[in-house]
Amino acid sequence: MPTTPHRIPGTARPRVSRPLPTTIWLPAPDEPHVAPAPGAVLADWAIERIRTVFTTRPSHLPAPLLKISIQDTEPGMDARTPVITYTDGTPSRLSLLLAELHPDTLPDPTDTPAYGGVSEMPGAMEDGWPGFFHRAHRLLPADGLLLLATRQRRDEGILTDPLGSLIACARTAGFRYLQHVIVAHAHPADDRLIPTPPADASPGVAHSDLIALSAIHTGA
């Protein structure tokens, strides 16, 4: 009979590393538009699944969603960012924000985020990704969700992954990392998957990444 490990009273329990959940999304077999439009990261079927999967409303209706498409991180980026609102017409406070990040705007994965000292509005007026995450945090209520959609790109012929730098910036701004969703660029047919990469994706890119982050607000 297996035995239970003995723990000395007064000592801390051993910490067990639990990997964060990863989910793979595929379009329905009869989905007519499986690839995202040029310039977009996610196809419409994936956006509708976001509204259903991440909703917390008792009616289980799709959640209102604000989608922003970030094309650059230069000063004044907010004024140049296209915005689309998905809603069923029911007024609701914003609690679900989807940011599509064009691969060309992503930070170099070898860069180490630099964080300055504390100010009255830490990070809110900064340019680039640190400022974006601070502004998104101020916009969302406690437990509101920020969803980041992006994909890899090729730098000097090598596929690079930006998620580490982005998640580090998000955590510093007050977000908790919840989940990683892999949105496959493939169409199921019988017992196989047919690749359907976006027309503007780098060669070899087989999926987009969707990261779920929860806004943490401490008491005043």
Side-chain angles (χ1 to χ4, degrees):
M1 176 180 296
T3 59
T4 302
H6 179 70
R7 185 171 66 90
I8 300 174
T11 61
R13 293 181 181 276
R15 299 186 65 180
V16 178
S17 176
R18 294 184 176 86
L20 291 167
T22 301
T23 302
I24 298 177
W25 285 2
L26 287 166
D30 58 350
E31 171 58 50
H33 305 292
V34 296
V41 177
L42 299 178
D44 289 342
W45 67 265
I47 292 175
E48 288 306 312
R49 186 173 297 185
I50 285 173
R51 296 185 63 206
T52 301
V53 169
F54 291 101
T55 184
T56 57
R57 297 195 295 176
S59 63
H60 299 292
L61 293 173
L65 171 69
L66 184 67
K67 186 188 85 166
I68 58 177
S69 299
I70 299 176
Q71 305 296 320
D72 71 85
T73 55
E74 297 300 318
M77 60 180 285
D78 293 351
R80 296 186 299 275
T81 300
V83 178
I84 298 177
T85 301
Y86 298 82
T87 180
D88 58 5
T90 303
S92 177
R93 184 181 182 186
L94 174 66
S95 61
L96 195 57
L97 174 62
L98 168 63
E100 287 195 330
L101 315 181
H102 192 280
D104 290 345
T105 71
L106 296 173
D108 187 323
T110 62
D111 287 347
T112 301
Y115 308 114
V118 177
S119 65
E120 293 182 2
M121 296 177 62
M125 301 304 294
E126 292 182 32
D127 297 323
W129 291 117
F132 163 76
F133 283 114
H134 279 285
R135 293 191 295 274
H137 187 267
R138 291 172 64 85
L139 181 65
L140 289 166
D143 296 326
L145 294 180
L146 171 62
L147 305 172
L148 303 179
T150 189
R151 58 175 177 259
Q152 295 174 322
R153 70 180 184 198
R154 285 195 178 274
D155 289 323
E156 298 180 353
I158 300 174
L159 281 176
T160 58
D161 189 345
L163 297 183
S165 297
L166 291 171
I167 292 171
C169 284
R171 282 176 164 161
T172 299
F175 286 98
R176 178 187 295 114
Y177 177 24
L178 297 180
Q179 187 176 10
H180 180 195
V181 177
I182 294 174
V183 183
H185 298 315
H187 186 74
D190 297 327
D191 59 348
R192 60 196 178 100
L193 294 176
I194 300 175
T196 54
D200 56 354
S202 296
V205 172
H207 72 277
S208 290
D209 296 292
L210 181 66
I211 301 298
L213 303 153
S214 176
I216 304 170
H217 290 277
T218 58

